[in-house]
């Protein structure tokens, strides 16, 4: 007879089996939850991807519709543009006949009407050479030319071709045989003519997205731009190329719409190197450098070109990231340091004159920025204006010849007083802005740079250029140089104005400043 199981052992075995089954059920429940969560996650991902795909399809449909609308509009406007071109051809034909009939009557270019008639005469005859010579000889009438040239170019059968042929004498390389210091720099004429062409080549319906330039002329413009880039080595590289050359090249690209994405780094370096030109921020944006402007502004600040940086910030709307007031105050502080360092340099002749002019130029540049960008509430300019008036008043007083009675004009050796200083006795009454220390203060561009920072191109020895080797213009306008102000003799006026440090923009150097070129 077999042994019977003890009831206690049976209960233990049953309990252990129960625990095993319970653990198995818990594991199955946990696994099921994980699988359920996994499939729920997959379902959500599929839903998100489906929604994203739908949005992309909708966006694609929208862009396709926009593209088709633009293509349809372009197709529709072709007929209208052809009719408009035919009408213009007839108008220009009649204008050319009238110009030929008038003949010598149009030779009078002294008045505004006579100037326009003469310009139109060249344009209707497509005489680009005569047009170029006529314009370059009238630099003193710059404002009048800038207003009349677009009107005259409208009479050309092909304005783009006419402008391209007009500037070929000096761009991309100077082909003139006879040159003179007086007429060497013709960059102002190239830029003005290229700017005047823009309103004539913009499509009246589609705007800048389509330029009314024939494929042949556009291809020729590309060849010219390529030739200019290839000639950079002959000009001494990007660092030494002259600003008029750079300005003409960049304006050429914008006018004919031939900028290349692969050349963005080249454009960036050229813009930063000539940042003191007021048109540079706009040209940079037109060339597709908008996304690089923040880096360009930081580079200008690191070089001490604080006023230039202010103009760039307003052009691209980065005022919140680069507040202008701290930049301008730091600029004034640096300019005061520069003026003081010149006064302390007893080996520099005319140092009082140079220091005074530097501070005046810095004050004018800052006051101009305050007015232009309406910063009076944040940075009152009253104290700056008073300081500027004080400097200008002392300058005028020092120019007046001293009056001494005749009976007192005796030599010191005879016991009498010395004769008064004569006008022009100052040995360095006018100091050239290039290549020696410049006379106008502009956005600080130091002659002594920290390691790794390149100075301005025109602080270096002059390199060959198509416009010659003249100094950069000192007029705040882009195209016309300014006559050098008269000498200032005597002691430096007043106690230097102390400006506190703002925003950490000052770099602590004792800079030698370049000129101010701001409107």
């Amino acid at each position: 007879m077999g042994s019977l199981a003890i009831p206690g052992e049976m209960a233990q075995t049953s309990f252990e089996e129960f625990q095993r089954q319970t653990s198995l059920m818990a594991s199955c429940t946990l696994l099921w939850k994980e699988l359920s969560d996994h499939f729920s996650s997959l379902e959500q991902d599929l839903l998100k991807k489906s929604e994203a795909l739908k949005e992309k399809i909708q966006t694609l449909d929208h862009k396709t519709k926009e593209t088709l609308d633009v293509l349809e509009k372009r197709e529709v406007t072709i007929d209208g543009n052809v009719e408009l071109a035919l009408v213009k051809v007839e108008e220009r034909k009649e204008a050319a006949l009238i110009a030929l009939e008038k003949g010598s009557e149009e030779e009078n270019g002294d008045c505004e009407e006579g100037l326009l008639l003469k310009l139109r005469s060249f344009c209707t005859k497509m005489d680009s050479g005569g047009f170029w010579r006529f314009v370059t000889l009238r630099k003193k009438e710059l404002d009048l030319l800038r207003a009349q040239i677009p009107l005259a170019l409208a009479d050309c059968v092909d304005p783009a071709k006419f402008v391209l042929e007009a500037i070929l004498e000096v761009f991309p390389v100077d082909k003139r045989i006879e040159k003179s210091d007086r007429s060497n720099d013709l960059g102002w004429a190239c830029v003005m003519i290229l700017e005047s062409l823009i309103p004539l080549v913009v499509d009246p319906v589609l705007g800048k997205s389509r330029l009314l330039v024939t494929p042949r002329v556009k291809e020729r413009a590309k060849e010219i731009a390529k030739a200019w880039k290839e000639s950079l080595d002959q000009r001494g590289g990007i660092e030494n190329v002259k600003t008029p050359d750079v300005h003409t090249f960049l304006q050429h690209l914008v006018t004919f719409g031939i900028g290349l994405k692969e050349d963005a780094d080249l454009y960036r370096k050229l813009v930063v190197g000539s940042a003191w030109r007021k048109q540079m921020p706009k040209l940079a944006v037109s060339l597709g450098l908008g996304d690089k402007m923040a880096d360009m502004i930081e580079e200008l600040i690191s070089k001490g070109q604080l006023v230039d940086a202010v103009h760039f910030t307003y052009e691209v709307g980065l005022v919140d990231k680069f507040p202008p007031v701290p930049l301008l105050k730091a600029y004034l502080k640096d300019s005061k340091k520069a003026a003081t360092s010149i006064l302390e340099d007893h080996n520099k002749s005319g140092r009082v004159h140079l220091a005074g002019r530097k501070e005046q130029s810095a004050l004018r540049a800052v006051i101009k920025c305050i007015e232009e960008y309406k910063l009076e509430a944040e940075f009152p300019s009253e104290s700056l204006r008073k300081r500027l008036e004080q400097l200008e008043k002392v300058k005028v007083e020092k120019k007046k010849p001293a009056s001494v009675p005749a009976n007192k004009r005796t030599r010191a050796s005879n016991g009498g007083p010395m004769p008064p200083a004569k006008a022009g006795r100052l040995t360095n009454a006018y100091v050239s802005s290039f290549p020696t220390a410049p006379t106008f203060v502009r956005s600080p561009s130091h002659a002594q740079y920290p390691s790794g920072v390149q100075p301005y191109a025109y602080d270096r020895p002059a390199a060959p250029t198509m416009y010659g080797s003249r100094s950069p213009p000192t007029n705040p306008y882009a195209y016309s140089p300014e006559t050098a102000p008269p000498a200032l003799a005597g002691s430096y006026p007043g106690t230097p104005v102390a400006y506190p440090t703002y925003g950490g923009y000052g770099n602590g150097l004792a800079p030698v400043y370049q000129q101010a070129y701001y409107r």
Side-chain angles (χ1 to χ4, degrees):
M1 175 180 284
S3 60
L4 296 174
I6 300 174
E9 294 179 356
M10 292 178 62
Q12 181 67 28
T13 303
S14 299
F15 183 72
E16 291 177 354
E17 180 65 20
F18 175 74
Q19 284 185 328
R20 187 178 67 82
Q21 294 293 335
T22 302
S23 176
L24 182 60
M25 289 295 296
S27 298
C28 290
T29 303
L30 182 60
L31 181 60
W32 171 258
K33 188 176 185 308
E34 289 179 354
L35 289 173
S36 178
D37 292 343
H38 176 68
F39 283 109
S40 296
S41 176
L42 289 177
E43 185 178 3
Q44 292 296 326
D45 290 342
L46 288 174
L47 288 174
K48 290 181 180 179
K49 290 180 179 179
S50 178
E51 291 296 328
L53 186 59
K54 288 181 181 179
E55 291 181 0
K56 289 182 179 179
I57 292 174
Q58 291 176 356
T59 303
L60 181 61
D61 290 340
H62 181 67
K63 288 184 178 179
T64 301
K65 186 177 181 301
E66 286 184 347
T67 304
L68 291 174
D69 291 341
V70 170
L71 289 174
E72 184 179 357
K73 186 181 293 185
R74 289 171 69 92
E75 185 176 358
V76 171
T77 57
I78 287 175
D79 294 335
N81 286 334
V82 170
E83 293 178 2
L84 182 63
L86 292 175
V87 172
K88 287 184 177 181
V89 167
E90 290 297 326
E91 292 177 352
R92 290 163 184 171
K93 179 181 176 182
E94 294 176 2
L97 293 174
I98 294 174
L100 291 172
E101 290 176 0
K102 288 186 176 181
S104 60
E105 295 180 4
E106 296 180 355
E107 294 297 327
N108 180 18
D110 296 334
C111 62
E112 182 175 347
E113 183 179 358
L115 178 64
L116 179 59
L117 288 174
K118 189 63 179 176
L119 290 170
R120 279 181 165 167
S121 175
F122 289 121
C123 293
T124 53
K125 299 173 187 176
M126 290 295 286
D127 182 5
S128 58
F131 174 85
W132 172 258
R133 290 187 292 272
F134 181 82
V135 170
T136 53
L137 291 175
R138 283 163 174 76
K139 190 173 184 178
K140 293 182 179 180
E141 304 172 58
L142 193 60
D143 293 335
L144 189 57
L145 286 173
R146 191 180 291 113
Q148 301 291 6
I149 287 179
L151 302 177
L153 289 177
D155 291 338
C156 293
V157 175
D158 189 345
K161 180 182 178 181
F162 181 82
V163 167
L164 205 58
E165 292 176 346
I167 65 175
L168 277 178
E169 187 172 358
V170 295
F171 182 78
V173 293
D174 197 337
K175 302 180 182 67
R176 293 175 296 164
I177 299 176
E178 296 182 1
K179 304 177 185 179
S180 64
D181 294 337
R182 191 173 182 180
S183 63
N184 227 13
D185 181 6
L186 296 179
W188 64 270
C190 292
V191 172
M192 181 179 62
I193 295 172
L194 287 168
E195 287 181 340
S196 300
L197 177 63
I198 292 178
L200 300 175
V201 297
V202 172
D203 189 285
V205 177
L206 301 178
K208 295 181 180 180
S209 62
R210 181 170 71 181
L211 299 179
L212 302 179
V213 179
T214 62
R216 183 175 297 179
V217 172
K218 195 166 187 177
E219 190 61 31
R220 179 61 179 143
K222 290 180 180 178
E223 293 175 359
I224 290 174
K226 182 179 179 182
W228 189 90
K229 288 189 295 183
E230 292 175 349
S231 68
L232 273 178
D233 292 338
Q234 299 176 2
R235 304 169 189 270
I238 296 176
E239 295 81 7
N240 293 314
V241 65
K242 296 296 181 181
T243 295
D245 295 25
V246 172
H247 196 168
T248 302
F249 172 66
L250 297 179
Q251 187 64 59
H252 174 80
L253 297 176
V254 172
T255 298
F256 290 97
I258 55 176
L260 301 175
K261 290 184 178 180
E262 55 266 30
D263 287 339
D265 289 338
L266 171 64
Y267 304 156
R268 180 184 184 278
K269 292 177 182 178
L270 292 174
V271 168
V272 172
S274 301
W276 51 268
R277 282 277 174 113
K278 191 67 180 292
Q279 294 87 347
M280 285 297 152
K282 293 183 181 296
L283 291 175
V285 173
S286 299
L287 290 169
L289 300 179
D291 58 338
K292 301 179 183 294
M293 291 294 272
D295 294 336
M296 295 166 67
I297 293 171
E298 289 179 354
E299 184 176 351
L300 291 173
I301 293 174
S302 68
K303 290 183 176 181
Q305 299 170 235
L306 304 180
V307 174
D308 299 336
V310 170
H311 291 298
F312 274 69
T313 58
Y314 275 95
E315 182 62 31
V316 292
L318 293 176
V319 178
D320 293 337
K321 186 174 182 180
F322 302 98
V325 172
L327 291 173
L328 296 176
K329 290 182 177 180
Y331 171 59
L332 287 174
K333 179 183 177 182
D334 286 348
S335 68
K336 174 58 65 176
K337 288 181 180 179
T340 303
S341 65
I342 292 175
L343 286 173
E344 293 174 352
D345 186 0
H346 298 287
N347 296 324
K348 184 184 292 292
S349 59
R351 63 183 185 277
V352 175
H353 171 65
L354 273 176
R357 291 183 65 177
K358 285 180 184 297
E359 186 176 0
Q360 289 179 60
S361 190
L363 290 169
R364 291 191 187 101
V366 172
I367 292 172
K368 184 66 177 177
C369 280
I370 294 174
E371 293 176 350
E372 183 174 356
Y373 301 120
K374 297 178 175 57
L375 300 172
E376 189 69 34
E378 301 177 57
F379 191 3
S381 61
E382 183 179 358
S383 60
L384 305 181
R385 296 179 188 277
K386 289 181 179 179
R387 177 59 177 165
L388 181 60
E389 291 176 1
Q390 179 187 7
L391 293 172
E392 291 176 343
K393 181 179 179 181
V394 172
K395 177 180 176 181
V396 172
E397 290 177 351
K398 295 300 179 182
K399 286 177 60 180
K400 295 179 181 179
S403 57
V404 179
N407 58 354
K408 292 184 179 181
R409 292 176 57 84
T410 57
R411 292 290 179 184
S413 60
N414 294 330
M418 289 293 291
K422 295 182 179 180
R425 181 163 291 186
L426 189 62
T427 58
N428 193 15
Y430 174 71
V431 180
S432 174
S433 63
F434 181 81
T436 56
T439 58
F440 288 100
V441 177
R442 68 176 194 86
S443 180
S445 181
H446 307 293
Q448 298 178 354
Y449 290 87
S451 177
V453 177
Q454 296 294 331
Y456 266 108
Y458 46 75
D459 284 339
R460 300 176 176 155
T465 175
M466 69 175 181
Y467 303 125
S469 57
R470 290 181 57 188
S471 303
T474 57
N475 190 295
Y477 296 93
Y479 309 121
S480 177
E482 181 186 54
T483 305
L488 173 65
S491 60
Y492 191 62
T495 304
V497 179
Y499 297 98
T501 303
Y502 291 87
Y505 292 111
N507 52 20
L509 298 176
V512 177
Y513 295 102
Q514 301 287 349
Q515 304 155 339
Y517 297 91
Y518 304 108
R519 293 191 177 98

